Amino acid sequence: MERTSRNIKPYAAGIITAAALSVSPKISEETGLFEKILYEMNGIGLRETLLTAAVFCLYVKYWSVIKQRQNWVTRCLAGLFSVFTLIGMSYSYLKNWNFIFGDWQQFLIAALTGIGYYIFYNACLCLLYHIGIKRTAEPKEKVRKLPVWIEKNYGVFSFLCIVTGWLPYLICFLPGSVAYDGYRQLNMAFGIEQISNHHPWLLTECFSLLMRIGRCVSDNFGVFLIVIVMYVIEAVCYAVVCSKIKSWGSPLWLNIGTLIFFVVLPAFGAYAQVVMKDGVFTAFFALFFVLYIELCLKYIKQKQQDSVLKRCFALGIAELAVALTRNNGIYMVLASDVVLLIFIIRKRRLLVAAFVMTVGVTMLYQFAEGPLASAAGVEPGSVKEMLSVPFQQTARYLKEYPDDVTSKERKAINKILDYDKLAEIYQPERSDNVKDTYKDKKGGLKRYFRQAWLPMLFKHPDAYFEATLENTYGYYYPFYNCNTLSAYQFYIQDKPLATGYFDIHYVMPEKVRQLMKGYAELYSKIPVLAQLCNPAVYTWLLLIMSGWLFYRRKGKQVLFLAAPYLNVAVCLVSPVNGYLRYAMPLMACMPAIIYWCVVDCSEGPE
């Protein structure tokens, strides 16, 4: 009897999973439970049939492995991923949570669907971790070497590959694209609008210097000069990442995969030709993280004490570059430094060097953003940039419950936002329209939170939850591409920012540009490649890598991933849902994260 039960389990699990995979997020107006199920399921399609066959084969063949390898880590991750999937299915298709909370019958259908996905994700994680366990137990193979010249000059080789791989973007979009944010920086640099720290002001001044030099020839050449300098800096940073990972003794698959990742994936090449902060910030962030991981490897794991000052100095420079090229960068590097200081508390020499580095970076940043910025006439950035979440919640409330707003709440909202327009201009997946009505009135923000935002939360919390979920699910649902804004910045900003002061125009014909643009966007349509261009995939990978550390009882090492996790947190409070450029720092860190969590997992702090 027991043996029969064991034999039935994989088939039962297969049926539940197959049923879940065949459920679509459309919902029926029928009132009967079975009528709803019949409407929402599609088990006769070719895709569903092939998936069902694959799932059954997987479960029947590997059920004993799945049973052996599952534990609290795989179960927690599987539960989390199934919840992410249900939320993503509902909002990407219906633009609300009715697939889950439409009524009690719909909730039951969603719960059963979630169970099916839970079983599937748990099985996949168990098999993935099983492969990892087997590879860890195998004797370490000798690292396969590349041709002699490449081995000796891997950094140079990586740089040449990256520069060459990105060249089509540079050529097709000569002199370079000037996106909205970049054009604002140019306008600030030349006094067309007041310079502020809405965009990092020192980077704006760098753009200004290069543009002024280039304008001795033409405005187009000024843009090209900015682009080519950023292009080279970014290529150098990624080449250093490739070189560092190889120097750690990583396997050939990771070395080649890392290089291909930076060369081929459109995100990096496409942003290398844009006058914008995101490309260079991402490159500096990747450089900082690989130097940070190297410091952890050298001094925490191997207990070496060579070149402490040199390594801390290099890391400090990278941290300062991160802090000065994006306004929230300082929090990511300081969080990482705090973790490092805690773990090296007993390594006196390194502790002193790392402490001096952290204090030095903090003081230089404060000086640059304080006295230096004030002396340069830089206005501070608006607080509205940090308020996407509450503003979106208020706007959705006004759209869904316009008659349930008191006079006091209306006055408090109208003091800082345009109350009469909020419901009309509200875009669920982009907060810019709402944020742009912000009025920076003294005391208005405190009054808004106390007299409007908080009371309205208690009256209709569902509006707040839905506003937040619809503005964030693209960062944790891997089967959705942001359609609010284009993933890439293949344009030169027109009016009203383009006042006529600059004469900037593309050199190559539009047909050539469209061809290159189509090539980049094609990646988002091809299975697997589409996921590599999806922010949520990297959130899942980060969680899977972290889960592997806990699975191997190395959970403390997750703390060293503070910076990537903070990047995810920044994405979740960002103004646009599932926007690729906001997640690029996490993407660029992924090769180093894979090394830290997988390749080097056999060592480390317990």
Side-chain angles (χ1 to χ4, degrees), residues 391-455:
F391 286 174
Q392 285 290 86
Q393 291 169 340
T394 297
R396 191 174 187 113
Y397 186 105
L398 297 184
K399 188 176 182 68
E400 295 188 352
Y401 303 103
D403 299 328
D404 202 1
V405 182
T406 66
S407 175
K408 186 178 181 181
E409 290 165 352
R410 175 173 181 159
K411 289 178 181 178
I413 295 169
N414 199 51
K415 190 171 179 67
I416 63 165
L417 297 170
D418 194 333
Y419 178 92
D420 295 326
K421 292 183 179 179
L422 290 186
E424 180 184 350
I425 64 176
Y426 169 65
Q427 284 185 284
E429 297 189 34
R430 184 184 178 189
S431 67
D432 288 331
N433 288 353
V434 172
K435 283 194 311 176
D436 287 346
T437 70
Y438 178 71
K439 312 163 193 174
D440 195 3
K441 298 289 182 68
K442 187 175 181 180
L445 204 55
K446 288 183 179 179
R447 181 181 175 186
Y448 157 75
F449 278 110
R450 187 175 64 252
Q451 298 182 5
W453 185 86
L454 193 59

Side-chain angles (χ1 to χ4, degrees), residues 65 69 74 123-140 253 544-545 547-549 551-552 594 597-602:
V65 175
R69 294 300 183 190
T74 62
C124 291
L125 287 165
C126 289
L127 292 174
L128 182 64
Y129 289 172
H130 175 70
I131 294 169
I133 293 286
K134 286 185 68 177
R135 290 188 66 92
T136 303
E138 293 172 356
K140 288 189 177 181
W253 63 265
I544 291 170
M545 296 296 105
W548 173 247
L549 290 176
Y551 196 86
R552 297 288 291 164
I594 290 172
C597 296
V598 179
V599 179
D600 204 66
C601 183
S602 58

Side-chain angles (χ1 to χ4, degrees), residues 377-392:
V378 179
E379 290 185 350
S382 173
V383 71
K384 71 179 182 180
E385 300 306 321
M386 299 183 291
L387 298 172
S388 291
V389 173
F391 286 174
Q392 285 290 86

Side-chain angles (χ1 to χ4, degrees), residues 167-183:
L167 208 54
Y169 296 100
L170 184 64
I171 293 172
C172 291
F173 293 96
L174 280 172
S177 299
V178 187
Y180 179 91
D181 288 358
Y183 216 112

Side-chain angles (χ1 to χ4, degrees), residues 14 39-40 44-45 51 86 127 164 166 220 259 278 311 345 384 434 458 463 493 517 530 535 546 554 589:
Y39 181 80
E40 295 179 30
I44 199 166
L51 279 172
L86 292 177
L127 292 174
T164 305
W166 294 353
N220 261 10
L259 185 54
D278 296 270
R311 292 184 186 279
I345 195 81
K384 71 179 182 180
V434 172
F458 287 111
Q493 178 63 38
K517 180 181 178 182
S546 301
K554 305 288 182 182
C589 288

Side-chain angles (χ1 to χ4, degrees), residues 62 76 83 133 140 146 182 246 265 383 431 501 564:
Y62 295 106
C76 287
V83 170
I133 293 286
K140 288 189 177 181
L146 296 165
K246 186 178 185 306
L265 209 65
V383 71
S431 67
Y501 186 86

